[in-house]
Amino acid sequence: LRGKNKTELEGQLKDLKSELSALRVAKVTGGAPNKLSKIKSVRKSVARVLTVYRQSQRSALKAKIDDDATKKKGKVHLPLDMRFKKTRAIR
């Protein structure tokens, strides 16, 4: 998954979501038990694709911020969602 680009990940996500909706329809109409058990694995696959997509977006954004920081002088602050999440006691 990590080797795929943005458009490939979006295409795979679209396929998985359409498969998931078809499985949910099969569940309502009383489909076969093997289709019902496949819902969980498809949901996990959707989560994997979204995770990889988000991580690649974040790494690209972090690289751009780091690149911009080298051009500026002074301290450059990261956006709040890009900062390290520490425990409450450390913050």
Side-chain angles (χ1 to χ4, degrees):
L1 278 176
R2 298 197 190 281
K4 293 185 177 183
N5 61 13
K6 180 181 174 181
T7 56
E8 291 173 341
L9 285 174
E10 288 174 345
Q12 185 175 0
L13 185 63
K14 183 179 176 185
D15 294 340
L16 286 170
K17 284 191 174 184
S18 64
E19 182 182 355
L20 184 60
S21 65
L23 288 172
R24 286 183 175 152
V25 168
K27 178 182 176 184
V28 171
T29 58
N34 60 349
K35 286 191 175 186
L36 300 180
S37 63
K38 194 173 179 184
I39 291 176
K40 182 178 179 180
S41 63
V42 173
R43 285 180 60 228
K44 300 291 183 183
S45 298
V46 168
R48 280 187 201 99
V49 171
L50 287 173
T51 301
V52 170
Y53 184 74
R54 175 94 168 119
Q55 286 176 346
S56 63
Q57 273 188 330
R58 283 184 59 125
S59 63
L61 183 62
K62 186 152 176 59
K64 184 181 181 307
I65 290 171
D66 290 341
D67 187 42
D68 291 345
T70 57
K71 295 176 185 173
K72 294 181 182 179
K73 44 184 169 170
K75 184 152 176 99
V76 176
H77 296 286
L78 284 174
L80 288 175
D81 61 335
M82 296 291 294
R83 295 180 189 170
F84 288 107
K85 311 295 187 279
K86 299 177 181 176
T87 63
R88 196 167 176 183
I90 295 175
R91 279 186 267 143

